[in-house]
Amino acid sequence: MRFAIAGFLLIHGLIHLMGFAKAFGLAELPQIQKRLTRPMGLLWLGAALLLVAAAALLLLARGEWRWVALMGALLSQGMVLLDWEDAKAGTLANLGVLLCTWFFPR
C-alpha cells in the first residue's frame, strides 16, 4: 500500500510540473488555456516539489510525509481554485491525498 500511495503522490506532483512548464515557456500545453505568470508557475513548482518530497519520505518510512503531503495538497488546491476551468480535476487528487494522509496506518 505504501508504494501505491507514494506512486499516487509522485504522479500528482509530476502533473503540477505542467503549470511550471507552461508559465516558463518550456512546453506548449494547449490543455492549459489560461496564461500563467512566472510567479504562478513557481507556485505550481512548489506544489510539485512538496508532493514528490512526500512520496520520497513515505518510501523512507518517515512520518513527516503526512505533513509535507498536506502542505502540497493545500498549495495544489489553492492553485486549482485560481485556475478552476483548467485544473478542477485536481480537486479529486487533492481529496485523495487528504484521505491517504488520514487513513494510511501510522
Side-chain angles (χ1 to χ4, degrees):
M1 182 61 102
R2 180 173 55 152
F3 292 106
I5 294 173
F8 169 66
L9 290 169
L10 178 65
I11 290 168
H12 186 42
L14 293 176
I15 289 170
H16 275 277
L17 292 179
M18 290 176 24
F20 173 75
K22 172 86 174 190
F24 281 82
L26 301 174
E28 284 294 321
L29 298 166
Q31 58 271 46
I32 301 176
Q33 300 295 317
K34 186 176 179 184
R35 183 184 166 283
L36 296 175
T37 64
R38 287 187 171 207
M40 293 294 285
L42 290 175
L43 290 174
W44 283 104
L45 177 63
L49 293 174
L50 285 168
L51 292 164
V52 170
L57 288 169
L58 176 57
L59 290 175
L60 294 171
R62 301 286 307 261
E64 298 89 357
W65 77 270
R66 285 180 172 82
W67 295 108
V68 177
L70 284 172
M71 287 188 293
L74 287 174
L75 180 55
S76 173
Q77 191 60 36
M79 304 310 312
V80 166
L81 293 174
L82 291 173
D83 195 12
W84 183 254
E85 287 304 313
D86 289 331
K88 59 187 161 201
T91 298
L92 292 176
N94 291 324
L95 286 173
V97 172
L98 179 64
L99 291 173
C100 289
T101 60
W102 185 263
F103 289 111
F104 187 75
R106 302 204 188 281

